[in-house]
Amino acid sequence: MTDGPPLSLGNLALSRKEDFKAFAYAPRREQPKLLTRAELKTLTAEEKAAYDRLRREWHANLGPIKTPQLAELHEDLWDIVDSNLQDGDKAKGAVAVDAFPGLGKTTSVLAFLREFHHREVAESGEYTTQGHERLPVCRVGLTGNTGMKDLNRAILEFFGHAGRNRGTAAQFGQRALDCVLSCEVRVLALDDLHFLKWRKTSGIEVSNHLKWIANEFPVTLVMIGVGLADKGLFSEGTTSGDTVLAQTGRRTTRLGMRPFTIENEAGRREWRQMLLALEKRVVLADKHPGMLADDLSDYLFARSTGHIGSLMTLINRGCQRAFRSGTERLDRELLDRVKNDEASENARRELEAALENRRLTSRPQPSRQAA
């Protein structure tokens, strides 16, 4: 793809190939220039509105940040995907990224898929030897009502196949296989796998279908979800239905993502590095070194409970309020007025009490930090 992404990256659906390619080839966002208070006052009303729009979009898209968690997940994904070079008559190992909400699973996997897409196209070209568009990645989002036919149709929707609206489940499956083979797809990513009702008829049906895909499609299945272990994806099972589900788990490697923790020095150093990285990306006239990593370290940990999704949401919303109100900085007084997700708010009080009573701290020892 050489003609660049669409004008608005906020109007994409990654379940379609055109939009996934636009996402993959989108240039890195350019951080708005940091203006001083004096420079802000020189802007006309139109210039200030344009500058604030740039800041709104920038703060809403601060990630992904290469945290240790993201780096660990990417290393594991590269190991698995690169080892799946078996001939077409052999089934390839699958991946299940199984972790709690708010830890950045989808964001991290999408970052990997973008890198993988670039590598494959750089090595093999934009078109296959048969002249078809090369699409190394097919990404599909699932819903709570997804059955075998729906999954096949969703794959066809990604490719924009003309036969995606009429046919049987088997016909949809063969058309999906044709698309995957023609476009030389190497990774099939299924997001929100937890939406399936695994122990109901549709769940067993889709589990069998995933096994068929693993056998027939020359792809690495990357499944993303919450609580997949509890749903039986990895269990041996004791009933015939459970055993059917466990067959998928036999070929699946489970990968997780951990939250930030502050129980030891290593965890506290990781948390500080995260806040320092965020500080560099904040575009507020009155920001200062240590605004997040020193002044707000404990407070931000309590508000996010170490979940990167909750932290990014809080910083984004706080920045929007900071320049909209003219405050132009982040502090506790401002952030106390900013609402965050319900899970973080519910867990906030107990953590705040522990941090304020110094039973916990998010700050590493100065000597260790310097080292």
Side-chain angles (χ1 to χ4, degrees):
M1 182 175 179
T2 57
D3 52 355
L7 292 178
S8 176
L9 292 178
N11 193 35
L12 296 181
L14 297 184
S15 54
R16 300 186 300 188
K17 65 182 178 69
E18 295 86 1
D19 287 359
F20 185 86
K21 288 180 68 175
F23 159 77
Y25 288 103
R28 187 177 297 275
R29 289 181 180 272
E30 185 174 343
Q31 183 167 342
K33 181 182 178 182
L34 180 61
L35 301 182
T36 65
R37 285 272 187 178
E39 290 171 326
L40 285 176
K41 290 180 180 178
T42 66
L43 299 178
T44 65
E46 292 78 10
E47 290 171 338
K48 179 62 163 55
Y51 180 62
D52 284 349
R53 178 176 179 82
L54 287 176
R55 292 200 287 179
R56 285 200 304 272
E57 294 178 350
W58 171 255
H59 290 124
N61 296 278
L62 287 175
I65 292 176
K66 192 169 184 180
T67 62
Q69 293 89 330
L70 181 144
E72 291 163 7
L73 178 65
H74 281 199
E75 281 298 306
D76 289 333
L77 285 171
W78 282 119
D79 286 345
I80 295 166
V81 172
D82 283 351
S83 67
N84 276 350
L85 294 179
Q86 298 91 343
D87 294 337
D89 61 327
K90 300 179 181 67
K92 303 179 189 301
V95 181
V97 182
D98 183 16
F100 289 115
L103 296 179
K105 298 182 301 298
T106 296
T107 299
S108 298
V109 172
L110 285 175
F112 170 80
L113 296 178
R114 178 164 47 194
E115 291 181 24
F116 181 76
H117 175 95
H118 277 281
R119 189 191 74 174
E120 293 298 294
V121 171
E123 289 181 357
S124 304
E126 293 188 21
Y127 297 94
T128 70
T129 55
Q130 300 298 316
H132 299 293
E133 188 178 17
R134 185 181 303 283
L135 297 170
V137 173
C138 173
R139 183 263 174 198
V140 173
L142 303 187
T143 71
N145 296 318
T146 301
M148 184 172 70
K149 186 174 181 179
D150 301 308
L151 177 54
N152 292 341
R153 182 188 288 116
I155 296 174
L156 293 177
E157 285 283 357
F158 179 86
F159 294 99
H161 193 284
R164 64 190 181 276
N165 294 319
R166 281 188 163 188
T168 65
Q171 289 171 333
F172 282 173
Q174 289 303 318
R175 292 168 193 165
L177 177 57
D178 287 343
C179 289
V180 166
L181 293 175
S182 297
C183 297
E184 298 189 5
V185 175
R186 291 295 173 259
V187 173
L188 174 58
L190 305 179
D191 204 355
D192 291 324
L193 199 68
H194 54 274
F195 283 159
L196 295 176
K197 297 178 181 178
W198 283 96
R199 298 185 185 277
K200 302 297 183 181
T201 302
S202 61
I204 296 172
E205 179 185 72
V206 173
S207 184
N208 277 331
H209 191 56
L210 294 178
K211 194 172 79 166
W212 176 73
I213 288 175
N215 287 335
E216 301 298 327
F217 288 39
V219 300
T220 299
L221 268 176
V222 176
M223 300 172 281
I224 310 161
V226 177
L228 299 181
D230 294 336
K231 294 183 181 298
L233 182 61
F234 310 104
S235 64
E236 286 299 316
T238 56
T239 69
S240 59
D242 290 339
T243 303
V244 169
L245 296 179
Q247 289 175 347
T248 302
R250 272 293 181 179
R251 292 175 176 171
T252 303
T253 301
R254 180 187 180 189
L255 303 178
M257 290 196 74
R258 55 187 173 82
F260 287 93
T261 59
I262 55 174
E263 280 76 22
N264 54 51
E265 276 297 294
R268 290 188 281 269
R269 286 196 297 272
E270 287 183 354
W271 177 247
R272 180 174 176 81
Q273 289 305 312
M274 176 68 194
L275 296 184
L276 289 172
L278 273 177
E279 271 186 22
K280 293 178 181 178
R281 300 191 184 199
V282 168
V283 184
L284 296 173
D286 288 347
K287 83 167 185 179
H288 60 273
M291 180 179 70
L292 302 184
D294 294 328
D295 301 349
L296 293 171
S297 178
D298 285 355
Y299 176 84
L300 291 174
F301 190 85
R303 288 294 306 269
S304 66
T305 62
H307 287 63
I308 189 171
S310 301
L311 175 66
M312 300 295 274
T313 296
L314 183 61
I315 296 299
N316 173 21
R317 293 176 182 175
C319 288
Q320 308 295 345
R321 183 175 289 231
F323 64 75
R324 191 177 64 246
S325 65
T327 306
E328 292 292 340
R329 68 181 182 278
L330 295 179
D331 56 29
R332 182 164 185 161
E333 181 182 356
L334 180 140
L335 290 173
D336 271 341
R337 301 195 299 271
V338 175
K339 304 298 187 295
N340 208 2
D341 62 86
E342 186 67 13
S344 293
E345 294 296 348
N346 287 338
R348 171 184 176 184
R349 300 305 174 193
E350 185 177 346
L351 258 178
E352 278 186 329
L355 289 163
E356 288 172 1
N357 294 331
R358 301 191 182 280
R359 296 197 305 271
L360 277 177
T361 181
S362 66
R363 300 172 184 176
Q365 294 290 332
S367 57
R368 292 282 188 91
Q369 182 185 329

